[in-house]
Amino acid sequence: MAKQLDYHTIREIFTRFHASEPEPRGELEHVNAYTLVVAVALSAQATDAGVNRATRELFKIADTPQKMLDLGEEALIEHIKTIGLFRNKAKNVIKMARILVDEYGGEVPNSRAALQALPGVGRKTANVVLNMWWHYPAQAVDTHIFRFGNRSGVCPGKDVVAVERAIEDNIPVDFQRHAHHWMILHGRYTCVARKPKCAACLIRDLCQFEEKTL
Ligand code: SF4
């Protein structure tokens, strides 16, 4: 784990991320808050591209909790059976739809506690939804952010909660909203797991990783 970088270095890193992509976006396709929650919940241990392939048709016919209930679990399974853990995920999506219809009038709640109480929605999913839909500076730490944060020293931590805290404590407030997507995209395409592309990395002079591939 790299040492925590200082404020000025982190500000420079995010200034560069901002210059290269001012409005970074997540890659999970969705048409409203409900389909975003479903897509994020389906993406656990699956790639965004794989989830998008499955949900493109699904969301055309089931883009609200009531329509998901009308579709039913068996038909839902047919749509998502290419995604890992699809049976369990289908069960949770149906249970979640039932709660949203019965307790929230078919709307998605915008508090972390309420989101996390939904079946199949953990802390990471709740944070992604709060960040992407309501633009809260919520930080969802996935495998890409965890790897990048620990290699670079932007937000090192021994577990995801520690990395989440490091992001909140150390990334300048004006960069917090987009920090999530900048770091995910950087981890997914540049600071990749096996052989990071350090020679092409726009922060290679600031990153603390000792085994850079230069
Ligand atoms: S220099 Fe290499 S290790 Fe550091 S952030 Fe860039 S790609 Fe990752």
Side-chain angles (χ1 to χ4, degrees), residues 94-113:
I94 295 296
K95 280 193 211 158
M96 183 207 302
R98 171 52 61 203
I99 292 172
L100 292 175
V101 168
D102 289 350
E103 297 180 22
Y104 296 97
E107 300 293 325
V108 175
N110 66 350
S111 85
R112 180 182 283 126

Side-chain angles (χ1 to χ4, degrees), residues 17 147-149 151-154 186-187 190-192 195-214:
F17 283 156
R147 181 176 64 250
F148 165 72
R151 278 177 177 168
S152 63
V154 166
H186 195 69
T190 304
C191 195
V192 294
K195 199 171 177 226
K197 299 170 183 170
C198 302
C201 177
L202 77 174
I203 61 160
R204 61 185 174 277
D205 54 322
L206 305 173
C207 169
Q208 300 294 299
F209 191 46
E210 288 179 359
E211 297 154 48
K212 285 185 199 145
T213 57
L214 294 173

Side-chain angles (χ1 to χ4, degrees), residues 13-33:
I13 285 172
F14 282 94
T15 299
R16 293 185 195 178
F17 283 156
H18 178 265
S20 94
E21 178 56 77
E23 288 287 326
R25 296 197 186 283
E27 296 181 315
L28 275 177
E29 294 173 11
H30 57 283
V31 296
N32 53 27

